[in-house]
mmCIF file of all heavy atoms in Angstrom:
data_model
loop_
_atom_site.group_PDB
_atom_site.id
_atom_site.type_symbol
_atom_site.label_atom_id
_atom_site.label_comp_id
_atom_site.label_asym_id
_atom_site.label_seq_id
_atom_site.Cartn_x
_atom_site.Cartn_y
_atom_site.Cartn_z
ATOM 1 N N GLU A 88 -46.436 -52.757 -25.165
ATOM 2 C CA GLU A 88 -45.756 -53.113 -23.908
ATOM 3 C C GLU A 88 -44.441 -52.368 -23.784
ATOM 4 O O GLU A 88 -43.620 -52.341 -24.734
ATOM 5 C CB GLU A 88 -45.521 -54.626 -23.833
ATOM 6 C CG GLU A 88 -44.958 -55.073 -22.516
ATOM 7 C CD GLU A 88 -44.899 -56.583 -22.394
ATOM 8 O OE1 GLU A 88 -45.195 -57.314 -23.363
ATOM 9 O OE2 GLU A 88 -44.515 -57.075 -21.322
ATOM 10 N N ALA A 89 -44.185 -51.761 -22.600
ATOM 11 C CA ALA A 89 -43.038 -50.897 -22.435
ATOM 12 C C ALA A 89 -42.216 -51.327 -21.215
ATOM 13 O O ALA A 89 -42.740 -52.048 -20.351
ATOM 14 C CB ALA A 89 -43.468 -49.432 -22.306
ATOM 15 N N PRO A 90 -40.993 -50.875 -21.089
ATOM 16 C CA PRO A 90 -40.176 -51.178 -19.910
ATOM 17 C C PRO A 90 -40.744 -50.569 -18.640
ATOM 18 O O PRO A 90 -41.581 -49.616 -18.704
ATOM 19 C CB PRO A 90 -38.799 -50.582 -20.227
ATOM 20 C CG PRO A 90 -38.823 -50.413 -21.696
ATOM 21 C CD PRO A 90 -40.211 -50.095 -22.087
ATOM 22 N N GLU A 91 -40.294 -51.043 -17.497
ATOM 23 C CA GLU A 91 -40.688 -50.493 -16.234
ATOM 24 C C GLU A 91 -40.423 -48.994 -16.172
ATOM 25 O O GLU A 91 -39.382 -48.511 -16.618
ATOM 26 C CB GLU A 91 -39.929 -51.167 -15.068
ATOM 27 C CG GLU A 91 -40.298 -50.676 -13.695
ATOM 28 C CD GLU A 91 -39.459 -51.285 -12.596
ATOM 29 O OE1 GLU A 91 -38.438 -51.907 -12.909
ATOM 30 O OE2 GLU A 91 -39.786 -51.107 -11.420
ATOM 31 N N GLY A 92 -41.403 -48.247 -15.651
ATOM 32 C CA GLY A 92 -41.205 -46.790 -15.514
ATOM 33 C C GLY A 92 -41.550 -45.993 -16.725
ATOM 34 O O GLY A 92 -41.494 -44.780 -16.704
ATOM 35 N N VAL A 93 -41.933 -46.682 -17.830
ATOM 36 C CA VAL A 93 -42.304 -45.974 -19.044
ATOM 37 C C VAL A 93 -43.820 -45.927 -19.183
ATOM 38 O O VAL A 93 -44.376 -44.869 -19.493
ATOM 39 C CB VAL A 93 -41.661 -46.664 -20.292
ATOM 40 C CG1 VAL A 93 -42.175 -46.008 -21.564
ATOM 41 C CG2 VAL A 93 -40.168 -46.622 -20.215
ATOM 42 N N GLY A 94 -44.478 -47.032 -18.918
ATOM 43 C CA GLY A 94 -45.946 -47.012 -18.919
ATOM 44 C C GLY A 94 -46.462 -46.236 -17.730
ATOM 45 O O GLY A 94 -45.739 -45.986 -16.741
ATOM 46 N N PRO A 95 -47.720 -45.799 -17.736
ATOM 47 C CA PRO A 95 -48.258 -44.965 -16.685
ATOM 48 C C PRO A 95 -48.556 -45.667 -15.372
ATOM 49 O O PRO A 95 -48.755 -45.003 -14.345
ATOM 50 C CB PRO A 95 -49.507 -44.377 -17.302
ATOM 51 C CG PRO A 95 -49.941 -45.412 -18.299
ATOM 52 C CD PRO A 95 -48.697 -45.977 -18.838
ATOM 53 N N ALA A 96 -48.667 -47.011 -15.361
ATOM 54 C CA ALA A 96 -49.030 -47.743 -14.152
ATOM 55 C C ALA A 96 -48.105 -47.366 -13.010
ATOM 56 O O ALA A 96 -46.857 -47.322 -13.161
ATOM 57 C CB ALA A 96 -48.981 -49.222 -14.391
ATOM 58 N N ASN A 97 -48.672 -47.030 -11.868
ATOM 59 C CA ASN A 97 -47.950 -46.650 -10.664
ATOM 60 C C ASN A 97 -47.232 -45.284 -10.773
ATOM 61 O O ASN A 97 -46.381 -44.940 -9.937
ATOM 62 C CB ASN A 97 -46.905 -47.726 -10.276
ATOM 63 C CG ASN A 97 -46.597 -47.686 -8.797
ATOM 64 O OD1 ASN A 97 -47.466 -47.510 -7.952
ATOM 65 N ND2 ASN A 97 -45.355 -47.947 -8.444
ATOM 66 N N ARG A 98 -47.621 -44.482 -11.794
ATOM 67 C CA ARG A 98 -46.967 -43.175 -11.970
ATOM 68 C C ARG A 98 -47.996 -42.063 -12.128
ATOM 69 O O ARG A 98 -47.685 -41.009 -12.615
ATOM 70 C CB ARG A 98 -46.054 -43.211 -13.186
ATOM 71 C CG ARG A 98 -44.848 -44.161 -13.052
ATOM 72 C CD ARG A 98 -43.742 -43.802 -14.025
ATOM 73 N NE ARG A 98 -44.174 -43.837 -15.432
ATOM 74 C CZ ARG A 98 -44.060 -42.810 -16.273
ATOM 75 N NH1 ARG A 98 -43.517 -41.671 -15.869
ATOM 76 N NH2 ARG A 98 -44.461 -42.951 -17.525
ATOM 77 N N VAL A 99 -49.221 -42.323 -11.674
ATOM 78 C CA VAL A 99 -50.255 -41.273 -11.740
ATOM 79 C C VAL A 99 -50.830 -41.063 -10.346
ATOM 80 O O VAL A 99 -51.829 -41.705 -9.960
ATOM 81 C CB VAL A 99 -51.376 -41.659 -12.757
ATOM 82 C CG1 VAL A 99 -52.286 -40.483 -12.984
ATOM 83 C CG2 VAL A 99 -50.822 -42.158 -14.092
ATOM 84 N N PRO A 100 -50.193 -40.202 -9.556
ATOM 85 C CA PRO A 100 -50.607 -40.028 -8.136
ATOM 86 C C PRO A 100 -52.038 -39.591 -7.950
ATOM 87 O O PRO A 100 -52.644 -39.833 -6.902
ATOM 88 C CB PRO A 100 -49.633 -38.960 -7.633
ATOM 89 C CG PRO A 100 -48.463 -39.022 -8.582
ATOM 90 C CD PRO A 100 -49.017 -39.397 -9.883
ATOM 91 N N SER A 101 -52.620 -38.963 -8.967
ATOM 92 C CA SER A 101 -53.990 -38.474 -8.837
ATOM 93 C C SER A 101 -55.052 -39.591 -8.944
ATOM 94 O O SER A 101 -56.203 -39.415 -8.585
ATOM 95 C CB SER A 101 -54.304 -37.443 -9.927
ATOM 96 O OG SER A 101 -54.145 -37.991 -11.212
ATOM 97 N N LEU A 102 -54.623 -40.799 -9.387
ATOM 98 C CA LEU A 102 -55.548 -41.899 -9.525
ATOM 99 C C LEU A 102 -55.424 -42.867 -8.344
ATOM 100 O O LEU A 102 -54.402 -42.952 -7.719
ATOM 101 C CB LEU A 102 -55.272 -42.670 -10.831
ATOM 102 C CG LEU A 102 -55.571 -41.917 -12.122
ATOM 103 C CD1 LEU A 102 -55.133 -42.783 -13.328
ATOM 104 C CD2 LEU A 102 -57.042 -41.577 -12.245
ATOM 105 N N PRO A 103 -56.535 -43.540 -8.007
ATOM 106 C CA PRO A 103 -56.479 -44.545 -6.923
ATOM 107 C C PRO A 103 -55.385 -45.560 -7.162
ATOM 108 O O PRO A 103 -55.210 -46.060 -8.272
ATOM 109 C CB PRO A 103 -57.856 -45.202 -6.963
ATOM 110 C CG PRO A 103 -58.762 -44.165 -7.593
ATOM 111 C CD PRO A 103 -57.891 -43.461 -8.612
ATOM 112 N N GLY A 104 -54.583 -45.866 -6.124
ATOM 113 C CA GLY A 104 -53.511 -46.820 -6.276
ATOM 114 C C GLY A 104 -52.395 -46.318 -7.129
ATOM 115 O O GLY A 104 -51.568 -47.094 -7.636
ATOM 116 N N ALA A 105 -52.355 -44.991 -7.350
ATOM 117 C CA ALA A 105 -51.366 -44.363 -8.259
ATOM 118 C C ALA A 105 -51.408 -44.926 -9.654
ATOM 119 O O ALA A 105 -50.430 -44.858 -10.422
ATOM 120 C CB ALA A 105 -49.936 -44.495 -7.655
ATOM 121 N N GLY A 106 -52.569 -45.491 -10.028
ATOM 122 C CA GLY A 106 -52.725 -45.994 -11.380
ATOM 123 C C GLY A 106 -52.200 -47.403 -11.590
ATOM 124 O O GLY A 106 -51.980 -47.837 -12.708
ATOM 125 N N SER A 107 -52.032 -48.161 -10.459
ATOM 126 C CA SER A 107 -51.523 -49.545 -10.564
ATOM 127 C C SER A 107 -52.651 -50.507 -10.181
ATOM 128 O O SER A 107 -53.192 -50.446 -9.086
ATOM 129 C CB SER A 107 -50.338 -49.744 -9.622
ATOM 130 O OG SER A 107 -49.991 -51.121 -9.592
ATOM 131 N N LEU A 108 -52.925 -51.461 -11.065
ATOM 132 C CA LEU A 108 -53.928 -52.489 -10.770
ATOM 133 C C LEU A 108 -53.407 -53.520 -9.781
ATOM 134 O O LEU A 108 -54.171 -54.269 -9.196
ATOM 135 C CB LEU A 108 -54.358 -53.188 -12.055
ATOM 136 C CG LEU A 108 -55.283 -52.391 -12.971
ATOM 137 C CD1 LEU A 108 -55.490 -53.150 -14.293
ATOM 138 C CD2 LEU A 108 -56.630 -52.116 -12.309
ATOM 139 N N LEU A 109 -52.080 -53.558 -9.581
ATOM 140 C CA LEU A 109 -51.519 -54.486 -8.591
ATOM 141 C C LEU A 109 -51.994 -54.117 -7.179
ATOM 142 O O LEU A 109 -52.269 -54.965 -6.357
ATOM 143 C CB LEU A 109 -49.997 -54.438 -8.627
ATOM 144 C CG LEU A 109 -49.278 -55.206 -7.529
ATOM 145 C CD1 LEU A 109 -49.499 -56.729 -7.683
ATOM 146 C CD2 LEU A 109 -47.771 -54.914 -7.548
ATOM 147 N N MET A 110 -52.144 -52.772 -6.927
ATOM 148 C CA MET A 110 -52.447 -52.288 -5.605
ATOM 149 C C MET A 110 -53.931 -52.080 -5.439
ATOM 150 O O MET A 110 -54.650 -51.719 -6.388
ATOM 151 C CB MET A 110 -51.738 -50.984 -5.353
ATOM 152 C CG MET A 110 -50.242 -51.043 -5.420
ATOM 153 S SD MET A 110 -49.567 -52.279 -4.293
ATOM 154 C CE MET A 110 -50.239 -51.711 -2.705
ATOM 155 N N PRO A 111 -54.473 -52.312 -4.241
ATOM 156 C CA PRO A 111 -55.832 -51.911 -3.942
ATOM 157 C C PRO A 111 -55.955 -50.371 -4.192
ATOM 158 O O PRO A 111 -54.948 -49.658 -4.064
ATOM 159 C CB PRO A 111 -56.050 -52.226 -2.477
ATOM 160 C CG PRO A 111 -54.994 -53.263 -2.208
ATOM 161 C CD PRO A 111 -53.837 -52.930 -3.050
ATOM 162 N N PRO A 112 -57.141 -49.878 -4.495
ATOM 163 C CA PRO A 112 -57.266 -48.430 -4.843
ATOM 164 C C PRO A 112 -57.149 -47.531 -3.554
ATOM 165 O O PRO A 112 -58.151 -47.272 -2.910
ATOM 166 C CB PRO A 112 -58.647 -48.319 -5.461
ATOM 167 C CG PRO A 112 -59.419 -49.470 -4.902
ATOM 168 C CD PRO A 112 -58.396 -50.599 -4.678
ATOM 169 N N TYR A 113 -55.958 -47.082 -3.308
ATOM 170 C CA TYR A 113 -55.716 -46.223 -2.142
ATOM 171 C C TYR A 113 -55.576 -44.742 -2.585
ATOM 172 O O TYR A 113 -55.287 -44.485 -3.724
ATOM 173 C CB TYR A 113 -54.481 -46.646 -1.361
ATOM 174 C CG TYR A 113 -53.201 -46.473 -2.138
ATOM 175 C CD1 TYR A 113 -52.559 -45.249 -2.196
ATOM 176 C CD2 TYR A 113 -52.605 -47.566 -2.836
ATOM 177 C CE1 TYR A 113 -51.381 -45.080 -2.914
ATOM 178 C CE2 TYR A 113 -51.446 -47.382 -3.566
ATOM 179 C CZ TYR A 113 -50.822 -46.153 -3.612
ATOM 180 O OH TYR A 113 -49.681 -45.980 -4.321
ATOM 181 N N ARG A 114 -55.755 -43.839 -1.616
ATOM 182 C CA ARG A 114 -55.471 -42.422 -1.833
ATOM 183 C C ARG A 114 -54.692 -41.897 -0.643
ATOM 184 O O ARG A 114 -55.091 -42.084 0.517
ATOM 185 C CB ARG A 114 -56.782 -41.621 -2.032
ATOM 186 C CG ARG A 114 -57.501 -41.923 -3.350
ATOM 187 C CD ARG A 114 -58.530 -40.871 -3.664
ATOM 188 N NE ARG A 114 -59.251 -41.163 -4.899
ATOM 189 C CZ ARG A 114 -58.851 -40.787 -6.104
ATOM 190 N NH1 ARG A 114 -57.680 -40.089 -6.206
ATOM 191 N NH2 ARG A 114 -59.537 -41.032 -7.178
#
Side-chain angles (χ1 to χ4, degrees):
E88 186 173 4
E91 181 185 11
V93 176
N97 205 38
R98 296 199 301 125
V99 190
S101 61
L102 292 176
S107 171
L108 286 172
L109 173 66
M110 300 303 304
Y113 66 82
R114 289 192 182 276

